[in-house]
Amino acid sequence: KAFEELMATKLRELETLQATLKQQELDEAQKSQTLAESEELMDATKAQLEADEKFFDQTKAACQVKASEWSERTRLRTMELQGVNKAIEILSSPDAMKTFTNATTTFVQLSLLTHHRTANQGRNVYKKLSGLARRFHDLSLAELAAKVKAGGHFDKVIVSIDKMM
């Protein structure tokens, strides 16, 4: 009977030890899995950190360029405003006012002389310029002749102004 009791106790101990071994193997597997996941997460975090640091450096450099450009624009704008203020100061000075007053009494239009080119004159100029262009093989003279033939781009404006007067 003592042997059977000893064997029963030993079997229970064996079962307990086997259960403990299984539990420890399960814990070790979970810990190994957690370790692998943690290492993978750490590698991903390191890669993200490197990418973020690179982005930060690029953004920092771009901000420095923008700050320098803004500083230059601000400096130029300040200089421009100073120039405008100086011009206003000069134009509103008593000497300038005196000059403007004298200018309105000094310059008087006494007559109006208008000179319009006739179609015949335009043709003569065109013929001479185109002849010279052919004779000297000069493209710029040919272009000028074409412009004369087409008429100046201010012709319509001048005619309108003349009609107003």
Side-chain angles (χ1 to χ4, degrees):
K1 187 172 175 180
F3 177 73
E4 289 175 0
E5 287 178 6
L6 179 67
M7 283 304 284
T9 305
K10 292 295 179 183
L11 277 176
R12 283 191 301 258
E13 284 180 12
L14 178 64
E15 287 173 0
T16 304
L17 288 174
Q18 285 177 344
T20 304
L21 179 65
K22 262 187 179 176
Q23 184 62 40
Q24 286 180 349
E25 286 175 350
L26 182 62
D27 288 347
E28 183 183 351
Q30 288 176 343
K31 288 178 183 178
S32 294
Q33 182 181 4
T34 304
L35 177 64
E37 289 172 355
S38 296
E39 286 177 348
E40 185 178 321
L41 180 62
M42 186 175 77
D43 290 342
T45 304
K46 283 182 180 178
Q48 183 64 43
L49 176 65
E50 287 178 19
D52 290 346
E53 286 176 346
K54 182 179 177 184
F55 176 74
F56 177 75
D57 290 339
Q58 291 172 346
T59 304
K60 185 177 175 182
C63 286
Q64 288 173 343
V65 167
K66 293 287 183 191
S68 129
E69 289 173 352
W70 177 254
S71 172
E72 179 66 13
R73 261 197 323 258
T74 304
R75 184 185 67 79
L76 291 174
R77 177 70 177 147
T78 302
M79 289 176 56
E80 181 181 356
L81 288 174
Q82 288 173 348
V84 168
N85 288 335
K86 184 67 176 175
I88 290 171
E89 179 184 321
I90 290 170
L91 292 174
S92 61
S93 71
D95 290 340
M97 292 297 190
K98 184 191 280 185
T99 303
F100 295 146
T101 303
N102 290 339
T104 58
T105 60
T106 305
F107 296 111
V108 176
Q109 181 176 346
L110 299 176
S111 66
L112 173 66
L113 176 64
T114 58
H115 179 70
H116 296 285
R117 89 175 174 189
T118 63
N120 199 20
Q121 289 173 327
R123 280 191 295 266
N124 289 338
V125 171
Y126 169 74
K127 286 178 185 177
K128 286 184 182 185
L129 284 174
S130 60
L132 288 171
R134 277 192 299 273
R135 181 174 166 195
F136 294 109
H137 303 287
D138 189 347
L139 186 60
S140 61
L141 280 176
E143 288 175 4
L144 185 59
K147 286 180 182 177
V148 167
K149 184 175 184 181
H153 57 279
F154 287 115
D155 286 350
K156 292 178 184 176
V157 174
I158 291 171
V159 168
S160 295
I161 292 172
D162 288 341
K163 286 180 183 177
M164 285 185 225
M165 293 182 181

